[in-house]
Amino acid sequence: MIGAEKVPLTILSTDSFIASALVRQGIIPSSPISPTTGLTVQALELYHTAHQRNPHFSIQAYVKTLCDLQGVQFYAYLSRQFSIALDVYLQILTSVNMLVDEALRRGDPHWRLKHACPACTYKLQGEVPIKFSLLYAMDGNDSLKRVLKKSTQDDLDSDDNSPLAQRSSELPTTQVVGGDRYLLNEYIEQFARDSPADMLSLDDDKDNPCAGRWKNMRDEKTKKMWGVFDESGIFMSICRHGFSLVIADMVQSGEQAKYPLAVVSKLLDTFGSNLGGGYDIGCRFKTTLSRSSLGQRARELNHTSLVGAFHGHAHQRLCQLDHLATYVDGLGLEDLEGCERTFSKSNALASSVRYASVFHRRQAIAHYFEHNDDYEIYANLSTFLYNNYKQALRIISDGTNSLPKLMHELGLEDKSVFDTWLAEERAYLTSLSHEPNHETIQMEYWQKLLNLSGSKKDLDAATAAWTVTTPSTVEFGPHDIASTNRIETTRRHAMENYEKDLKAVQELEMKLGVTRRWEQEDQEWKDVGRLVANRKFQRALDHLEGLVVARIFELSKMNQAGTGYKLRKHIGKALQVRSAAIRTALDRYNTAARALRPPRASLSWEEVVEYAFLSDFDLLRDARQDISQRPWATPTGRLTMDTYFKTRRAREEIQRLDIEIRRLATYLHDESRYLTECEKQLQTLHPGLAHQVSLHCKIRARFAGHHYQRLHDISMLEGFTGSITPGESVERGPGASASSPIVCIPAQLVADGLSMVPEGEDDALEDLEDDENADVDGEEHARVLESILQVTLDV
C-alpha cells in the first residue's frame, strides 16, 4: 500500500553513526555525513526487483511515479539522490551475500562458476561417461555499448594528428563490481598477443574449409571501433541450459580473438577436460585456438570447438561435415545457440547502460544476469529437461517408424552405410577445394588466345579503315587532317594491343612447350570450352548462394525480440528488394546451367527459398562430373541420412538427460538439507546471519515444488530410461551440498557473535574483549554490519 506519513527516527546511544542509525530503522541515506534525505528499503527493493524484470524501467520513471503518488513536484536532483541510495543498498546486498557465502563455507571466489548449473556441474557417483562433460556456447553482442564521455583539450600531444585531443571526462571511482561473473580486463589482455593479424588471416588454411569466408575476426576489421563508444558490447558464455558462466567487456574493439580465448582459458581452469564450446565461427576459432598459447593445453584437456546449428547453415558443406550439430557424436540435440536467446532478452538493457558510467553499466549487467539465473533459468531448468526429453522421444519414435521404410526404398540393410556416405561426400567435396592445375593452365591459355584473336580482329578493322585517294580527289583541308590522325591513332593502339597479346601468348607457349592454334575444333579445345562454361556456372552459383545466406539472416533478425516496428518494416522492404535480386541471380544461374555439356538441371524459385541447408548448394558445384545419381546426393538419400543421424543424436540426448535429471533430483535434496541444517546451527550462534541464510534458501526453494512436479512428469513419460531417485554427489568438501554442514561465522561478525556466548565462558570473553579494544575501527565496522543485518530482520 502506498501512503505518506510522518515517522520519528531515533538515535540510540549504541549508534556510532547517523547513517547506521538510519539504516537500522530501514532508511538508506543519500549522504554518509549529516544526511537530510533517505529512501526506505522497501522503495529501493521494489525498484530493484521491477527493474530486473523490465530493464526499460528507469530510475527517473520510478521517481516520477513516487512523486505522482505523493502529490509533489518532480525535480531532477531527486533522481540523483535515489541513484546514490540505490548504490548503497545494492552494495549492502552484495556485502550481505558475501557474509552468507562465507558462513556457508562457500566464500571461494570461484564457487559460483564451479556450481553455476546443477544439471551440468553437480556430478554423481557411478555416472555413465559421456563425451562432453560440459557443453557451452559463447558469442559477442554489441547492443550493450557505452558512450565514452569526452572532454576537449586545446594542447595537442606530439603524436596526435587530430585537431582536438579528446580524453575521458569521467571521474575515477573506487566502486567495483564483485564476484567472478566478469573477467578482468587485465586477464583478457594477456591473450591479445595471441590474436595478431597474421594468425587470423586464414584464407590459405587448407584445414579450414571456411577460411576467407568470415570477416568479423580479421584484426584490421575489429581492432578499432567507433570512437564514440568505450565498451562496444559484451562477450559471454553460457551453459547449454542457459546459466551465465563468464562475461567480458569488449573495450574499444569489435569481436577480437582475445575474448573467446580468455573465456576458454577460464573455463578450462575451472572445469577441466572434455569441454565442448559452440561459437558461430567455431571452425575458424579452432585454428586460432590451436595456434595460440592455449593450444597445447586445449589439446591435452580435449577441448572441442563446435558450430551452432543455426549459424552452421551458412558454413560450407565440407565444414558442416566436421562441425554441424547433426554430425557431431555425443552432442545430442543441443543446438549451441543459447547466446542468441539470451541476448534477445538482455538487449532490453541497452537503453539504460548506453550513457551510464563504467561502474553502473557493469553493475546493471551483472545484476541482470544474476537475477536471470536465479529467477528465470533456474525456474525453467526442469521444464527444459522435460521438453528435451519429450522431443528426443518423439524423434526416436518417428525415426524408428520412417527409417526402415526409407532404407527399404533405397535397398539398404546396414545402417553403417550412412557413415560411409558421409566419408564419400567429404572426399568428393575435398576434391573440389582447389581447381586442378592443368585445367587452370588450359583456361589461362584459352583466355590469352581469345584476347589475341580479339586484338587481331581490331587490328584488321583499323587497317581496313584507310581510304584510297587520287590526285584529283585529294584534299588537304583541316577535316581530312583530323580524320587521318584519328584513323592512325586507332590503328596504332590496335597494333600495340595485338603485339602485347601476341607476346603474352608466345611467353606462355614457350613456358608450356606448345604451338599456337587458330582453329579450336578438336576435342581438347572443346573440353577447355566446357571449363570456361563451368567457371561461369560457379560464379553464378556463388552469387545466388550469397544472396540466400543474407536472406536467411535477415529473416532471423525480423523475429528477434526487441526489434522495433520501424526496423522490422525496413527489413521487410529490404527483403522484397533482395528477393528480386535472388530472382535475377536465379535466372543467371539457370542460363549458365543450360550452357553446360551436359546441361545441369535448373533450379526453381521454390527450391531456392525453401532450402533448409545452404550446404545443398555445394552439391551443385562440380560441373566436371554428375553426382546426382549417387545415393547420398539424391533427395531420398539425404532425407534418409538426416533421419538416421537425428535419431542417433536423439538417443545421445536421452543418455545425457538421464544423467542431468538425476543430478537435479539429487541437488534439490542435498541443497535443501544443507541450508536447513546451516540455518539451525546459526540460530544459536548468530540469529541475524541465520535469517539471511533463510532468505538465501528461499530464493531457489520457491521453485522446488515445480521441479519435483516436472521430475515426476518426466518419470511418467513412456520411454523414460533414467531415475529420479537422489544419488550421491562426488563432491564432499567444505560448502558442498552433500557435505556435513559446519557453519563459519565471518571474521567481521565475530565481535557481535560474542554477545551470544553462553555464561560460564567469562575468561575467554575477557580475552577477546581485550583484542577488540585494540582495534576500534574493526569494532565500529562490525557494528555497522550488524545494523545492516538487523534491518533485514524487519523487512
Side-chain angles (χ1 to χ4, degrees), residues 272-341:
S273 61
N274 299 325
L275 304 185
Y279 191 18
D280 55 0
I281 48 176
C283 57
R284 188 185 188 97
F285 176 70
K286 179 175 67 175
T287 306
T288 302
L289 178 62
S290 65
R291 296 182 180 181
S292 71
S293 58
L294 285 176
Q296 181 62 30
R297 188 156 178 266
R299 287 188 290 271
E300 292 175 353
L301 295 177
N302 195 27
H303 180 276
T304 305
S305 294
L306 304 168
V307 178
F310 173 75
H311 289 90
H313 294 168
H315 288 237
Q316 291 187 1
R317 178 64 177 177
L318 190 56
C319 174
Q320 291 183 7
L321 295 178
D322 293 327
H323 302 99
L324 193 64
T326 307
Y327 305 121
V328 177
D329 290 335
L331 193 55
L333 298 180
E334 176 56 37
D335 61 4
L336 300 173
E337 295 290 355
C339 286
E340 306 304 322
R341 294 185 286 270

Side-chain angles (χ1 to χ4, degrees), residues 388-397 654 717-720:
N388 274 33
Y389 216 105
K390 287 179 59 179
Q391 179 189 16
L393 290 176
R394 184 175 64 253
I395 292 175
I396 293 174
S397 176
I654 291 294
L717 290 174
E718 184 178 355
F720 177 66

